[in-house]
Amino acid sequence: MTDNRPAGAPTGDPATIIQPQQTSPYAGPVAGLPPQTGLTTDTAVFTDAYAVIPRTVMRDIVTSFLPGWQGMRMWMLARPLSGFAETFSQYIVELAPGGGCDQPDDDPEVQHAIFVTGGELRVTIDGQSHLLMPGGFAYVPAGTAFSIRNDSDSETGFHWWRKRWQPAQGVDRPDPIVTHEQDIAPSPMPDTDGAWATTRFMDPADLRHDMHITVVTFQPGGSIPFAETHVMEHGLFVLEGKAVYRLNRDWVEVGPGDFMWLRAFCPQACYAGGPGRFRYLLYKDVNRHATLWPNR
């Protein structure tokens, strides 16, 4: 059994423990319902090029459930849909004490990534058990048996990405990954003096991966100083801080718990507004030919 415990982690648990912190700094849905006196104005918008799903609209009445799970509910942020996300699905899952699933997905072509935002989550990958705390990350290759459980006495929250893994000549399926955000040194973007950095859960030089999950961090005043316009589809979930984000021709103010979807080639830029840092989870598809026959 591999032991990936960080320095100072508790001993005696037979599982691998990823536990650098006990409280969560990561934003999540509001849940509940607003009062009848509340206003309907917010930043929710859906266009052909992008969508903004703010935290204020992630309420109880838009949750869903999955067969085979116990004690779970989820917000579906993105799914393959004509005119919307084309390569992935992304969920925010709440898992009650004792909840979970022994077979979260029965599609052997689908790979998975998990990022824990609150509580404890036990992820067993191909027989190896790992206990993830807030900031814990797990990657499950396509065709690999895994299970998810909340063995604690409090609620757990996590993000869950699903994407069909695309085989390519000369590459095998990736290996499982279990790590923690704080165990990975952020990579500063060139010529930014550390104002813009990326924490990479997948090695960008590993071409077995056809998607990347990262945490992007901007210090107050940091920015994307040009209109990025490229083929990668994006899913962005704001973990903390605030910014004004350019989406196609529009500038939108976003903050903790907001989700943005960007279609391929949608121009994007941002300014981090402070007073604290601005951070988001980022999904993007990478490292494969453009699909010319989508239904083949």
Side-chain angles (χ1 to χ4, degrees), residues 1-4 14-16 122-130 145 178:
M1 180 178 294
T2 303
D3 190 343
N4 295 328
T16 299
R122 187 175 299 278
V123 180
T124 301
I125 305 173
D126 202 16
Q128 177 70 47
S129 181
H130 310 271
V178 179

Side-chain angles (χ1 to χ4, degrees), residues 159-181:
H159 285 257
W160 179 12
W161 296 264
R162 299 169 63 249
K163 181 185 184 295
R164 177 184 173 271
W165 184 71
Q166 297 173 259
Q169 184 176 3
V171 298
D172 298 322
R173 295 188 184 193
D175 298 322
I177 298 171
V178 179
T179 187
H180 189 281
E181 181 197 353

Side-chain angles (χ1 to χ4, degrees), residues 51-253:
V52 177
I53 304 175
R55 181 172 182 256
T56 52
V57 305
M58 297 182 200
R59 300 289 184 170
D60 292 350
I61 61 172
V62 295
T63 56
S64 186
F65 309 94
L66 289 175
W69 284 75
Q70 299 84 44
M72 75 87 74
R73 67 173 182 171
M74 68 180 191
W75 287 264
M76 186 177 292
L77 300 180
R79 54 161 287 185
L81 180 72
S82 177
F84 190 53
E86 298 175 349
T87 62
F88 75 110
S89 66
Q90 182 172 347
Y91 313 148
I92 299 177
V93 180
E94 283 186 357
L95 202 55
C101 185
D102 292 330
Q103 188 180 11
D105 196 329
D106 60 0
D107 190 330
E109 296 186 53
V110 174
Q111 61 191 324
H112 306 265
I114 291 166
F115 182 85
V116 179
T117 56
E120 301 178 3
L121 188 70
R122 187 175 299 278
V123 180
T124 301
I125 305 173
D126 202 16
Q128 177 70 47
S129 181
H130 310 271
L131 187 61
L132 304 181
M133 299 298 180
F137 175 85
Y139 169 78
V140 183
T144 303
F146 74 108
S147 65
I148 295 175
R149 287 285 164 190
N150 177 8
D151 296 331
S152 75
D153 58 2
S154 60
E155 189 175 83
T156 292
F158 63 95
H159 285 257
W160 179 12
W161 296 264
R162 299 169 63 249
K163 181 185 184 295
R164 177 184 173 271
W165 184 71
Q166 297 173 259
Q169 184 176 3
V171 298
D172 298 322
R173 295 188 184 193
D175 298 322
I177 298 171
V178 179
T179 187
H180 189 281
E181 181 197 353
Q182 290 189 354
D183 295 336
I184 304 170
S187 300
M189 298 297 284
D191 304 319
T192 64
D193 294 326
W196 174 11
T198 302
T199 303
R200 306 182 189 278
F201 294 116
M202 288 87 164
D203 181 355
D206 187 347
L207 298 186
R208 296 178 300 173
H209 288 286
D210 62 3
M211 71 171 180
H212 285 167
I213 306 295
T214 63
V215 175
V216 179
T217 301
F218 289 92
Q219 300 303 321
S223 69
I224 300 176
F226 67 105
E228 286 190 43
T229 308
H230 50 70
V231 71
M232 290 92 162
E233 181 179 29
H234 281 13
L236 290 79
F237 183 87
V238 181
L239 295 172
E240 64 175 287
K242 63 180 180 178
V244 286
Y245 217 97
R246 176 179 170 177
L247 300 167
N248 199 16
R249 298 178 178 178
D250 306 319
W251 287 92
V252 179
E253 186 174 22

